[in-house]
Amino acid sequence: MWNRCLMLFSTFFCLAWLSGCGVPVARAAAGDIRPAGDTLTAYRSEAELGQALARWRSLAGKQRTERRQLGDGSAKMALNAAPPAAAPAVLAKSEAAAGAAAESITNVQTPGVDEGGIVKRAGEHLVILRRGRLFTVRVGGDALQPAAVLDAYAPGSNPQGAWYDELLISGSTVVVVGYSYARGGTEIGLFDLGENGSLTYRATYHLRSFDYYSSRNYASRLVGTKLVFYTPTLLHAWGPAPEQMMPGVRRWQGDATPREFERILPATRIYRTDDEFDPAQPLALHSVTACDLGSATMRCESTAVLGPQGRVFYVSQGSVYVWTSAWRGRIWPRPARPVPPQSPSSLSAVFRLPLDGAAPSALKTAGVPIDPMSFLEDGGGHLNVLLRDSGAGEGMWGSEAPGSAGAPMALLRVPLAAFGDGRGAAQRKHYRTLPAVSGHSVQNRFIGDWLLWGGRQVGRTPTADPDAATSVSAAAWALRYAGKADAVALHPEHDVERIEALGDHAVLVGNAGADLHFSSVRLGRQAPVLAGRHVMAGARQGEARTHGFFYRLTGAEAGLLGLPVLGQAVGRRQGVYAGAQGSAAVVYLRQRDLAFTALGELQAQARPPRDDACKASCVDWYGNARPIFLGERLFALLGYELVEGQLVDGWRERIDERRRISFAPEPGARDGRYSPFN
């Protein structure tokens, strides 16, 4: 925990300093689009890669010496302001493997692309990851019974200094992904899940990598039986030799040494554009690693691109997109006036890395995406990305960078055929300026044909004169991203802290003062409009990540939604990010024709916390509460409790608690073993 907290402080200091620079660092996006089919060129040999990095290190050293001689202390500070290895991140989740019949219980961005989470369904069982342990609970038929518990790390290994954050399931293989500061790199634990819910340890693999923490994204995805990771490796001009930091894999044997890492990223799989490396900026090796879970021995291979350290990544069904940008200032063209050309090394770029192993392609761009929800690869062959003109990428809460408040915004919509060898740039016609929103924590999401984004509510909407509403800062906007009509302002009269899909429509969630609001948005062929509202007095969200929310369709224009909530006192004290230890409840709403009906809450029991003899991951950085829908059954995961509810029809529809179990571990009699039973 100390490692994470120390890094949070360091990174917030860096973000605050960098956000005040306000220096233009990129030229206008213009230029010819390269012919379709072109791809990036990889380094031909280790020697060629070494020469390129040596030139960059030499230039950086000279620049550093010159600035020291000039007494430019601020330049030295900027050079040293690279983010430390981040806090342990979350990984992507997966439900059942490709072709499995089990329905998803995770709120994923892209259908068919699973993301790592804290609870997954595997046939008759739920598998739960919490505080360094795996638990299984039988839910098949009408059961609700703890089945098994096992440490989420290798037997005999020391879990201290490691964070086990994400759970995925492929067939009967349970995958636990974490990050170890002590051993250095990503840990991938494989476990066998029995038909009776039993868990058996199989193997642990170490992937040499930097930390990849993001407050909004998940570092891995599961596509079929292919486990996909994105990890950055920061290269400093006066740091360790780059060849010592290249991605590698080793199988944990209990006494594994660094020499046992097998390098999985040769120079011939490292790509770059024609831009020169900026000697004033750390360089990042943006790596995508794919591991095959379908073979007896897990095999992994990596592909990487070299670029500046700022990054946001997104995974479609066929590709991983990595958007890179330098960590400074405003970086995009304003259509109202020409932008003076700047150094090509300051350009943003977006890389497309196919999951089938084909060579990557790239396009010079401008601006910075907010988070993975800013991306959509649509069915018409376009990449759509919502951009701010400044930002720090998504590492270490970069999506909530203080300097991004009120930053100008735009939509990039570019054909996939425009991607090529990296020399081409998105043209001015591919950008569309959009209204900005207040606040530094912007939310955004593509839903159907629409893009929605929102932030803080400023002022109140006039009611007497509808035309006067344009003078009020809108908390949210909606745009038909492939159309030509202007964005439509939405005035929910509360902050927008979450945007989610309700089938073909949307819901905006956020606070106005002490109260939590849910506002539905009707999306269709006509202009979007606010349709319904529900207000919870004295409440806040208990989980800010996408996985905290879930929606289940129950009809053409009807469905159920669930969201963890906290009371105001708990919410203010612990927040929704930094490891808040408890969500007081999961609230459930029904929507019919976008009008909400409150069904009630499933609440955690108010009892003193019990010592669970936690050894690893003892802070719930990714929350501990989830709404779960299994067919007609609904549950609330609340820490170590799993509560089942039932819908009751009467003079008003409501949800009542049907039963609950605790799967909390208790110290056993020997060898540190634990029992899931009370």
Side-chain angles (χ1 to χ4, degrees):
M1 179 175 175
W2 173 249
N3 284 335
R4 289 196 175 191
C5 294
L6 178 62
M7 291 180 191
L8 296 182
F9 175 83
S10 302
T11 302
F12 274 121
F13 175 81
C14 295
L15 290 177
W17 186 85
L18 290 168
S19 65
C21 295
V23 179
V25 297
R27 65 186 179 191
D32 296 332
I33 297 296
R34 302 300 301 171
D38 283 0
T39 59
L40 293 171
T41 301
Y43 289 97
R44 291 173 293 184
S45 65
E46 299 293 333
E48 185 180 50
L49 173 63
Q51 291 168 3
L53 293 174
R55 286 195 301 271
W56 167 69
R57 293 169 70 130
S58 176
L59 287 172
K62 291 179 181 178
Q63 188 177 89
R64 191 186 197 193
T65 299
E66 292 170 356
R67 291 183 177 179
R68 278 180 170 174
Q69 292 172 348
L70 292 173
D72 187 354
S74 63
K76 178 181 178 182
M77 180 181 179
L79 290 171
N80 289 330
V90 281
L91 289 225
K93 27 178 176 108
S94 110
E95 321 286 315
E103 64 178 293
S104 171
I105 61 170
T106 308
N107 180 22
V108 299
Q109 178 181 7
T110 304
V113 179
D114 206 359
E115 306 165 359
I118 63 171
V119 56
K120 297 292 176 182
R121 181 182 183 181
E124 300 286 296
H125 294 84
L126 292 178
V127 183
I128 302 165
L129 173 67
R130 184 162 195 243
R131 294 166 66 84
R133 297 189 183 99
L134 280 170
F135 304 87
T136 59
V137 176
R138 179 174 173 78
V139 292
D142 192 43
L144 185 63
Q145 177 66 44
V149 61
L150 191 66
D151 289 338
Y153 44 87
S157 66
N158 184 353
Q160 295 187 3
W163 296 82
Y164 302 98
D165 293 317
E166 293 198 29
L167 164 70
L168 306 101
I169 297 179
S170 176
S172 61
T173 298
V174 176
V175 182
V176 174
V177 183
Y179 189 87
S180 172
Y181 290 101
R183 288 178 280 273
T186 303
E187 286 196 13
I188 307 169
L190 303 182
F191 301 82
D192 293 318
L193 176 65
E195 292 185 0
N196 62 351
S198 62
L199 292 165
T200 306
Y201 172 77
R202 185 195 306 173
T204 295
Y205 294 85
H206 289 169
L207 173 64
R208 186 164 53 199
S209 69
F210 270 50
D211 204 349
Y212 38 68
Y213 179 80
S214 167
S215 61
R216 298 192 184 185
N217 206 344
Y218 306 92
S220 69
R221 304 293 190 271
L222 186 66
V223 183
T225 61
K226 183 177 291 187
L227 184 61
V228 180
F229 293 92
Y230 163 79
T231 55
T233 298
L234 294 183
L235 307 177
H236 292 271
W238 37 87
E243 58 270 16
Q244 299 176 8
M245 306 168 69
M246 293 293 177
V249 170
R250 68 180 179 186
R251 182 164 179 168
W252 176 250
Q253 304 293 341
D255 56 354
T257 66
R259 291 185 178 182
E260 293 182 74
F261 276 110
E262 177 186 352
R263 182 172 162 182
I264 56 174
L265 180 64
T268 53
R269 295 289 298 174
I270 299 176
Y271 298 81
R272 56 155 298 178
T273 68
D274 61 328
D275 290 337
E276 291 298 328
F277 301 142
D278 187 347
Q281 293 276 326
L283 194 60
L285 190 67
H286 300 278
S287 303
V288 173
T289 300
C291 300
D292 183 11
L293 296 176
S295 57
T297 301
M298 191 179 76
R299 303 294 300 174
C300 303
E301 60 180 18
S302 294
T303 301
V305 294
L306 277 168
Q309 62 185 325
R311 91 279 179 174
V312 182
F313 83 97
Y314 155 74
V315 184
S316 70
Q317 291 187 354
S319 300
V320 178
Y321 292 87
V322 180
W323 190 290
T324 66
S325 58
W327 260 36
R328 52 185 184 188
R330 295 179 172 174
I331 51 178
W332 98 41
R334 309 282 178 84
R337 67 181 192 276
V339 179
Q342 303 290 332
S343 165
S345 63
S346 297
L347 282 169
S348 298
V350 57
F351 296 88
R352 184 187 186 201
L353 292 81
L355 290 174
D356 63 4
S361 54
L363 189 67
K364 288 183 172 65
T365 54
V368 183
I370 299 160
D371 58 27
M373 295 298 171
S374 303
F375 292 78
L376 173 68
E377 181 190 280
D378 64 35
H382 288 80
L383 178 68
N384 306 272
V385 191
L386 179 65
L387 304 167
R388 291 186 292 206
D389 82 332
S390 61
E394 64 180 357
M396 286 299 293
W397 289 317
S399 298
E400 292 84 19
S404 64
M409 305 184 75
L411 173 69
L412 171 68
R413 177 171 166 80
V414 64
L416 299 181
F419 283 78
D421 61 7
R423 289 181 290 171
Q427 299 175 346
R428 192 174 295 274
K429 67 181 181 182
H430 297 129
Y431 293 95
R432 181 177 181 180
T433 56
L434 298 177
V437 292
S438 299
H440 60 265
S441 184
V442 175
Q443 304 297 314
N444 61 145
R445 189 153 192 153
F446 287 89
I447 299 174
D449 296 333
W450 295 87
L451 164 65
L452 293 92
W453 67 101
R456 286 191 57 200
Q457 176 78 21
V458 178
R460 294 183 63 83
T461 307
T463 56
D465 181 5
D467 294 334
T470 56
S471 65
V472 178
S473 177
W477 295 82
L479 174 76
R480 195 184 294 274
Y481 62 83
K484 298 185 180 300
D486 292 338
V488 177
L490 300 171
H491 295 274
E493 298 191 8
H494 60 80
D495 292 348
V496 177
E497 298 165 346
R498 177 185 292 274
I499 302 175
E500 299 287 358
L502 297 180
D504 296 329
H505 307 289
V507 62
L508 311 177
V509 183
N511 272 79
D515 301 333
L516 183 63
H517 292 241
F518 298 76
S519 296
S520 61
V521 182
R522 189 177 303 279
L523 302 173
R525 296 184 178 180
Q526 306 301 319
V529 294
L530 293 168
R533 173 175 297 185
H534 173 71
V535 180
M536 287 190 66
R540 303 185 70 84
Q541 291 191 85
E543 170 63 64
R545 287 178 173 269
T546 56
H547 292 180
F549 176 92
F550 200 83
Y551 177 75
R552 189 188 74 186
L553 281 169
T554 59
E557 293 293 333
L560 295 172
L561 66 88
L563 180 70
V565 294
L566 293 167
Q568 279 289 329
V570 177
R572 285 178 179 149
R573 184 175 71 252
Q574 294 183 317
V576 292
Y577 282 118
Q581 289 302 293
S583 273
V586 172
V587 62
Y588 296 88
L589 304 178
R590 182 183 292 282
Q591 75 86 8
R592 288 190 177 96
D593 196 27
L594 299 181
F596 293 115
T597 300
L599 300 177
E601 304 173 6
L602 295 177
Q603 299 182 340
Q605 286 187 348
R607 59 185 180 186
R610 180 172 54 196
D611 181 11
D612 62 357
C614 182
K615 296 180 181 178
S617 302
C618 297
V619 175
D620 295 316
W621 286 91
Y622 305 111
N624 57 31
R626 296 290 186 270
I628 301 171
F629 296 90
L630 298 178
E632 296 301 313
R633 300 170 70 188
L634 53 86
F635 301 84
L637 174 64
L638 297 164
Y640 282 124
E641 293 181 287
L642 192 62
V643 185
E644 183 172 3
Q646 59 184 358
L647 288 170
V648 178
D649 289 324
W651 64 273
R652 72 174 180 84
E653 187 181 25
R654 70 183 189 276
I655 182 172
D656 286 348
E657 179 180 327
R658 181 186 178 200
R659 54 184 171 174
R660 71 174 62 214
I661 61 164
S662 170
F663 54 90
E666 293 184 346
R670 61 183 180 84
D671 300 330
R673 305 298 294 176
Y674 298 91
S675 167
F677 306 105
N678 289 324

